[in-house]
Amino acid sequence: MYLKTPKRYAKSKQRRSPLSLRWLWLWILTPIVVVVGSQVYQRRAEFAPPVQQAINNVIESVQSGVSTVVAPTATATENPTAKLNLAENDWREGRIESAVNSYLAIAAALPNDATVHNRLAFGLIMQGRDDEALTAAENAVTADPFSSDAWAIRALALDRNDRAGEAVSSSLRALELDANSARALAFLALAYYTEGEYDLALSTSQRALEVDPSSYEALNVRGVIAQSFEFDREAARDYYQQAYDIAPRVPYVAVDLANILYTLGVNSGDEATMNSNMDDAISILSDVIEVNPNNGLALFALGTLYFRGQGNFSQAAEMLSRCVDANPNSIDCNAYLGRVQSSMDDNQSAIEHLQKAVDLGSEFAYYHFWLGRSQRALGLCSQALPNLRHGRELAVTDDIPDVVAAADELIRECEASLGIISATPIPEATAEATPE
């Protein structure tokens, strides 16, 4: 169909202008471009650096964008499942040391797994690593604030770190969450005992056994109270033995049984009983370190048994050296290693380890006295006197007369060698020793 074009759109002939604007602009701009180009060329040394820098900036921007687009894939986090299974198997088999190492490796990857942190804390306690155990126990509570076990183990860790008052509160919180937790009751009883609330400790430990007669934790704490509050060593031995029969792979249970066997043997007055109990105690502790070769509690106990019970200084030094290697900040392991070394006339090494025990905060009279005595043996009286005097003060407070008497003698010797007028009291002569 044919459409008629409106007039305003229809082609019409236009008259061409004699002056073209395109050519006008060409003649105007050409001289300008030539002049500018000539100037840039003549001053190229001045213009080149900023131009090059601008180009470099563009290139770097592009490269940065490309590198971001093709950035390497982040390294994958190791799946903790394998180590978790290994740790659980080790825990069941009593390989506490290996289990703790595995739990340490995966704990950060499992921040909300209260079981992992509970076992880690309990395992560290069983190795004598009390400060680390408290950190792990706090993490367990954070992982599950409604776990009675987490609060109970935190109580035990607090007690081992000399914070018994807080341990009581933590145990009570555990009981709020589970009123029938024998574990929480046992650790509450232990905290009461540490606080000097002996009657409360006794009644609470008995209540724990009523809740669960087969709780090795309750049986063990009941043994502690029988031994140190009721002074019934035979009953204590029975409680410890029951706990050990239920949980032979728990190191601290084995240690408590071994120590009471040694004590009963020494106090029996019968050489055959003493030797038999000593052999049993050493066997129990040896079983522990066979499975857990770096267990500080068992190594310390075994070292002191070799030293006190058998006078076997070399074996004692070996066990206590291993204990220090396993836990360099153990006050007891350092102090007793120093004591053994002084008995072997290695007073220089003895001073090193006894000084470490004192520097770690020990306020035990024997440790300060042993340090002073080793320093006196090397003629270091100016160093020995402060330790001997402080050890004596602690011994007076703790009613340890043998340390007081021995310290008095060494203090007088040191004061005399240094030309100090002694202020140390001289014991009154006995009637038999008084000259007529």
Side-chain angles (χ1 to χ4, degrees):
M1 183 176 69
Y2 172 75
L3 293 179
K4 193 172 183 180
T5 303
K7 277 189 177 181
R8 65 177 178 272
Y9 296 124
K11 292 182 180 181
S12 60
K13 291 183 180 181
Q14 295 184 1
R15 183 177 299 174
R16 185 179 298 270
S17 173
L19 182 63
S20 173
L21 289 178
R22 292 179 183 178
W23 284 103
L24 180 61
W25 279 113
L26 177 61
W27 286 108
I28 293 173
L29 291 177
T30 297
I32 296 174
V33 171
V34 171
V35 172
V36 171
S38 174
Q39 290 297 316
V40 169
Y41 177 77
Q42 291 176 8
R43 300 170 62 187
R44 58 186 181 277
E46 180 181 344
F47 285 108
V51 172
Q52 184 63 46
Q53 183 61 45
I55 295 172
N56 290 340
N57 289 341
V58 173
I59 293 173
E60 287 178 5
S61 177
V62 172
Q63 288 177 337
S64 176
V66 172
S67 64
T68 303
V69 172
V70 296
T73 305
T75 303
T77 304
E78 182 182 357
N79 190 329
T81 303
K83 275 194 171 64
L84 180 59
N85 292 334
L86 179 62
E88 291 175 347
N89 289 334
D90 284 335
W91 188 269
R92 284 192 295 269
E93 295 297 323
R95 294 185 292 273
I96 306 300
E97 183 180 320
S98 295
V100 164
N101 290 337
S102 294
Y103 284 132
L104 281 171
I106 62 175
L110 299 168
N112 298 319
D113 193 325
T115 300
V116 167
H117 293 284
N118 278 335
R119 287 186 176 177
L120 175 56
F122 201 27
L124 289 168
I125 289 171
M126 288 190 276
Q127 288 187 283
R129 297 161 63 178
D130 298 332
D131 51 346
E132 296 173 77
L134 182 55
T135 300
E138 298 287 3
N139 290 337
V141 169
T142 301
D144 185 359
F146 300 101
S147 168
S148 175
D149 281 347
W151 286 97
I153 292 173
R154 177 177 179 270
L156 180 60
L158 286 165
D159 184 76
R160 293 295 179 91
N161 281 276
D162 299 321
R163 294 163 61 177
E166 294 172 74
V168 169
S169 298
S170 192
S171 295
L172 292 173
R173 175 56 181 154
L175 288 169
E176 287 178 5
L177 295 167
D178 182 359
N180 293 316
S181 171
R183 166 179 277 180
L185 286 165
F187 297 159
L188 176 60
L190 186 62
Y192 281 145
Y193 170 79
T194 305
E195 283 279 85
E197 299 287 347
Y198 301 121
D199 291 327
L200 267 176
L202 176 58
S203 61
T204 305
S205 66
Q206 290 172 331
R207 183 182 162 200
L209 286 176
E210 290 170 3
V211 169
D212 184 1
S214 63
S215 166
Y216 72 86
E217 291 146 331
L219 286 163
N220 181 263
V221 172
R222 185 67 184 86
V224 170
I225 295 169
Q227 178 180 354
S228 302
F229 172 55
E230 299 173 295
F231 304 106
D232 188 343
R233 294 193 179 102
E234 297 288 345
R237 189 267 315 278
D238 292 342
Y239 286 122
Y240 290 146
Q241 185 67 58
Q242 292 179 64
Y244 182 75
D245 291 341
I246 294 169
R249 296 186 177 91
V250 175
Y252 76 86
V253 172
V255 168
D256 286 343
L257 176 58
N259 284 334
I260 197 66
L261 288 173
Y262 165 76
T263 302
L264 287 171
V266 170
N267 292 321
S268 67
D270 179 70
E271 186 174 353
T273 301
M274 183 174 63
N275 291 335
S276 176
N277 281 20
M278 176 64 70
D279 290 343
D280 289 343
I282 289 176
S283 176
I284 290 169
L285 294 172
S286 297
D287 287 343
V288 174
I289 63 172
E290 182 179 353
V291 180
N292 299 283
N294 295 314
N295 186 274
L297 299 179
L299 288 168
F300 174 75
L302 195 52
T304 56
L305 287 186
Y306 280 130
F307 175 63
R308 295 183 299 162
Q310 292 188 339
N312 189 334
F313 297 160
S314 61
Q315 280 280 63
E318 179 186 346
M319 295 299 111
L320 292 167
S321 293
R322 287 172 58 182
C323 183
V324 169
D325 290 341
N327 190 355
N329 291 325
S330 168
I331 290 176
D332 292 333
C333 290
N334 275 288
Y336 262 88
L337 177 57
R339 175 67 181 90
V340 172
Q341 289 168 332
S342 69
S343 296
M344 301 170 72
D345 293 325
D346 184 5
N347 285 294
Q348 191 61 55
S349 297
I351 290 171
E352 177 185 343
H353 288 101
L354 287 164
Q355 186 67 60
K356 179 71 177 291
V358 169
D359 291 343
L360 287 167
S362 172
E363 286 296 291
F364 189 38
Y366 277 103
Y367 297 172
H368 287 265
F369 169 71
W370 291 345
L371 175 57
R373 185 174 63 182
S374 292
Q375 291 168 328
R376 170 69 183 91
L378 293 181
L380 304 173
C381 273
S382 58
Q383 299 176 30
L385 276 175
N387 292 304
L388 291 170
R389 287 169 177 160
H390 189 54
R392 184 187 188 280
E393 293 172 2
L394 294 171
V396 169
T397 302
D398 297 338
D399 192 21
I400 311 175
D402 60 328
V403 171
V404 174
D408 283 344
E409 182 178 352
L410 292 177
I411 288 171
R412 284 192 295 271
E413 290 179 5
C414 273
E415 288 176 336
S417 69
L418 294 173
I420 299 173
I421 298 175
S422 178
T424 303
I426 299 175
E428 295 182 3
T430 61
E432 292 79 6
T434 305
E436 296 181 358

